[in-house]
Amino acid sequence: MNIIIQTCVPSYRLNFFNFITSNSKSVKIIAGKFFYSKSIVSDPSTKSVIWVKNYFFFKRKILFQNIPFFKVLKADNVVIEFNLNNITFYIVFFLRVLLNKPVYLWGHAWSRKGPKSKSEYLRKYFKKKSTGYITYTLKQQKELESQISSLKTFAAPNAIYFKEEMSPKHVDQNDILNFIYVGRLVEEKKISLLVKSFHNIIDNLPIIVKLIIIGAGPEFDSIKHYIELNNLKNRVELLGEISNYNDLRDYYSKSIASISPGYVGLSITQSLGFGVPMLISRTEKHSPEIEASIEGFNSIFFETDNQTDLGEKLLAFFLNKEKWIQNRNQISEKCKEQYSIERMTSPFISIFK
């Protein structure tokens, strides 16, 4: 048996895990129902999961997972999420090393503070002792290879869709009028900044142009209140969570650009996969998926937290929409080269064969 240990298995990982378990030899996933952030939860439809209890401490900063340790110790290979805030990680790692059994780490090459952070002394120890390391990007893989030449490394760029699903939906150009945000509605994503920026420029846009917001989270009510207070219901659609592929593809197909008013997450590969460019905050602590951005080709940046600049860049997208629409196929093709489920799962399938 082969085992992958995760904090939780959210819906955006559904295709990934289901593809691995159906294409690899005897794979089980061990996960809890909740993540450190309460807005991230597991998808119960994920196959081959051994569900465990997650216990959080110190305001959800520290985790202990009540996993079946005997199964984990017997497993042929274990891939575990590399997180120093998970007590279970240390137990699993040291027991597997003592028993001389393969234990692979999966995660960011560095902490959020980068390769010069104080925690890197400890992180480097685990990297050297591990059987191998799976990073989220090709860039991180190359950086790790230069740090520890003896370490066996793999790159599994985060993906949501299969290659065949990553293509623009062809619609009449006259119907491509909107802007779209897809993601969690949490403070650090800065959706309020986006809504206010759009509000500032609506008089400069045709009345049929809308801002579409798809997602759920603690900021939902405050955004809804702002929309109602400023009579924006006909211009800003707050749709809640939508996970259906066809519905999402349809909303993207009628959007000139997607927007990341806060830090970039996995939605960038979703947007680019559908051929839709992204407007991105310049100096955020972005997730590794920012590597997919090529400024001027599939994305444009605005000055972080600058409401005026964000509005001006939205207007620029609208004024140049024909150019961006013509580039949709190229944007999609470039994205699917590295950010497909097939590409992401290949290191795991190789390890588990």
Side-chain angles (χ1 to χ4, degrees), residues 199 202 225-236:
H199 185 193
I202 55 174
H225 177 71
Y226 184 90
I227 293 169
E228 292 173 347
L229 186 66
N230 292 280
N231 298 313
L232 294 173
K233 281 187 176 182
N234 293 328
R235 303 300 299 273
V236 181

Side-chain angles (χ1 to χ4, degrees), residues 301-349:
F301 288 79
F302 72 92
E303 296 306 315
T304 297
D305 296 328
N306 189 321
Q307 193 170 301
T308 301
D309 192 50
L310 174 50
E312 289 175 354
K313 295 294 168 57
L314 287 170
L315 281 174
F317 259 114
F318 181 80
L319 294 172
N320 293 286
K321 77 167 194 166
E322 289 184 11
K323 166 204 159 184
W324 292 107
I325 293 170
Q326 288 171 1
N327 289 343
R328 282 190 166 191
N329 286 329
Q330 290 176 279
I331 291 172
S332 177
E333 287 297 319
K334 182 68 176 177
C335 183
K336 74 169 67 173
E337 287 176 11
Q338 294 296 339
Y339 299 95
S340 67
I341 292 295
E342 292 91 339
R343 175 65 182 84
M344 185 180 181
T345 55
S346 61
F348 296 84
I349 293 172

Side-chain angles (χ1 to χ4, degrees), residues 204-222:
N204 298 311
L205 293 167
I207 197 167
I208 52 176
V209 176
K210 294 181 179 180
L211 171 62
I212 309 298
I213 300 174
I214 296 174
E219 294 288 291
F220 185 94
D221 289 339
S222 63

Side-chain angles (χ1 to χ4, degrees), residues 4-39:
I4 301 173
I5 303 174
Q6 290 280 277
T7 303
C8 72
V9 283
S11 58
Y12 59 78
R13 288 273 194 249
L14 185 63
N15 284 340
F16 169 77
F17 285 120
N18 287 350
F19 190 74
I20 287 178
T21 54
S22 62
N23 286 275
S24 301
K25 177 183 170 185
S26 184
V27 178
K28 290 289 183 183
I29 301 149
I30 295 176
K33 293 185 178 180
F34 302 101
F35 194 67
Y36 296 87
S37 170
K38 291 181 180 180
S39 62

Side-chain angles (χ1 to χ4, degrees), residues 182-199:
V182 178
R184 292 182 297 133
L185 305 186
V186 293
E187 187 176 357
E188 55 266 33
K189 291 287 189 174
K190 302 181 181 178
I191 305 96
S192 292
L193 175 71
L194 170 60
V195 175
K196 290 173 182 176
S197 296
F198 184 76
H199 185 193

